[in-house]
């Protein structure tokens, strides 16, 4: 599985002015490269879950679909109000797709709206990254769409929440993070999760 939360690259352009849809399109070559690499390394029939938001989703949809079969768009209602001028933000999107065909592995009664409290509400003292996701959200994905011993790739691992959830759920984990500070936080959190499990 690929399960990752890439930078949304929205909001402000390089000269610190508010960006437009044209500015945001500059990220498309980056995501074309990323999705090409995901297609290369992902096994046939395997799933991928990509976090995004309402501004980036329209830009990513076509590129995503040129490499994978789009299965659904999950709405994560984090039951918390973030900033917002014209209605406060209370959700994010998770693009769900597969490389080729894949039989559904989770209960058919599950919906595409998930109400899971964000870390700001549940565990703010253990918040190490601005966009850190709760392990409960990641565990749900792992439980739904992987088996014990499966390998999960997070190429934008931040503070390592996906790695922690993989340890807790008995999955193998490959994480990539370019900022050393966050890499070291992720490494520590994953090692602590392993110690708790053993």
């Amino acid at each position: 599985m690929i399960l990752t939360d890439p930078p949304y690259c929205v909001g402000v352009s390089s000269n610190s002015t508010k960006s437009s849809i044209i500015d945001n399109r500059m990220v498309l070559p980056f995501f074309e490269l990323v999705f090409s690499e995901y297609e290369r390394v992902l096994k046939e029939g395997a799933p991928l879950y990509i976090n995004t938001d309402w501004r980036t989703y329209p830009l990513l949809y076509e590129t995503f679909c040129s490499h994978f079969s789009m299965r659904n768009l999950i709405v994560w209602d984090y039951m918390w109000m973030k900033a917002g001028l014209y209605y406060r933000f209370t959700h994010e999107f998770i693009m769900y797709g597969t490389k080729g065909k894949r039989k559904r592995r989770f209960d058919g009664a599950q919906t595409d709206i998930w109400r899971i409290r964000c870390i700001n509400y549940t565990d703010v003292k253990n918040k190490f990254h601005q966009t850190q996701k709760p392990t409960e959200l990641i565990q749900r994905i792992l439980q739904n769409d992987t088996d014990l011993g499966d390998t999960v790739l997070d190429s934008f691992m931040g503070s390592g929440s996906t790695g922690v959830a993989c340890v807790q759920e008995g999955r193998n984990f490959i994480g990539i993070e370019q900022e050393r500070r966050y890499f070291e936080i992720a490494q520590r959190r994953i090692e602590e999760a392993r110690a708790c499990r053993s």
Side-chain angles (χ1 to χ4, degrees):
M1 171 187 282
I2 291 172
L3 194 173
T4 195
D5 182 16
Y8 299 166
C9 305
V10 296
V12 178
S13 66
S14 60
N15 63 2
S16 298
T17 60
K18 186 169 176 56
S19 63
S20 67
I21 193 73
I22 294 169
D23 296 320
N24 293 342
R25 284 195 186 108
M26 291 189 295
V27 304
L28 287 178
F30 169 74
F31 279 104
E32 172 60 40
L33 180 60
V34 169
F35 290 157
S36 294
E37 289 300 301
Y38 286 171
E39 185 178 17
R40 181 181 65 82
V41 301
L42 199 60
K43 288 184 177 178
E44 190 66 27
L48 68 161
Y49 291 77
I50 310 291
N51 283 77
T52 189
D53 80 346
W54 60 274
R55 294 160 292 192
T56 310
Y57 174 67
L59 299 169
L60 298 186
Y61 178 80
E62 187 175 353
T63 305
F64 186 95
C65 291
S66 70
H67 296 278
F68 305 103
S69 298
M70 183 79 176
R71 299 301 180 188
N72 208 328
L73 182 67
I74 298 164
V75 178
W76 170 36
D77 173 1
Y78 38 68
M79 303 169 73
W80 180 265
M81 289 191 299
K82 291 189 177 180
L85 185 59
Y86 298 101
Y87 300 116
R88 304 281 295 274
F89 298 153
T90 61
H91 75 280
E92 292 179 22
F93 293 145
I94 304 171
M95 300 173 73
Y96 168 49
T98 61
K99 181 177 175 180
K101 294 181 180 179
R102 181 178 181 83
K103 186 176 180 180
R104 188 188 75 231
R105 301 164 57 96
F106 46 87
D107 181 357
Q110 287 202 43
T111 71
D112 58 4
I113 298 177
W114 296 358
R115 290 180 177 88
I116 298 173
R117 290 194 186 278
C118 67
I119 197 164
N120 297 54
Y121 188 90
T122 59
D123 195 15
V124 72
K125 71 180 187 309
N126 287 312
K127 184 175 180 180
F128 304 104
H129 193 286
Q130 184 178 0
T131 62
Q132 184 173 327
K133 302 300 183 279
T135 53
E136 183 184 352
L137 176 70
I138 300 162
Q139 285 175 305
R140 181 167 182 173
I141 293 171
L142 296 176
Q143 292 166 3
N144 280 356
D145 230 359
T146 62
D147 292 320
L148 285 170
D150 282 355
T151 299
V152 178
L153 168 66
D154 183 351
S155 59
F156 301 94
M157 76 170 172
S159 59
S161 296
T162 300
V164 170
C166 284
V167 170
Q168 293 168 339
E169 296 298 325
R171 275 59 170 177
N172 297 312
F173 175 67
I174 300 169
I176 301 168
E177 173 56 45
Q178 70 173 356
E179 291 194 42
R180 175 166 292 278
R181 176 167 67 105
Y182 291 126
F183 177 84
E184 290 173 352
I185 290 170
Q187 189 174 38
R188 175 178 56 80
R189 292 181 69 210
I190 292 166
E191 287 171 357
E192 288 172 355
R194 285 185 179 139
C196 288
R197 187 173 169 84
S198 59

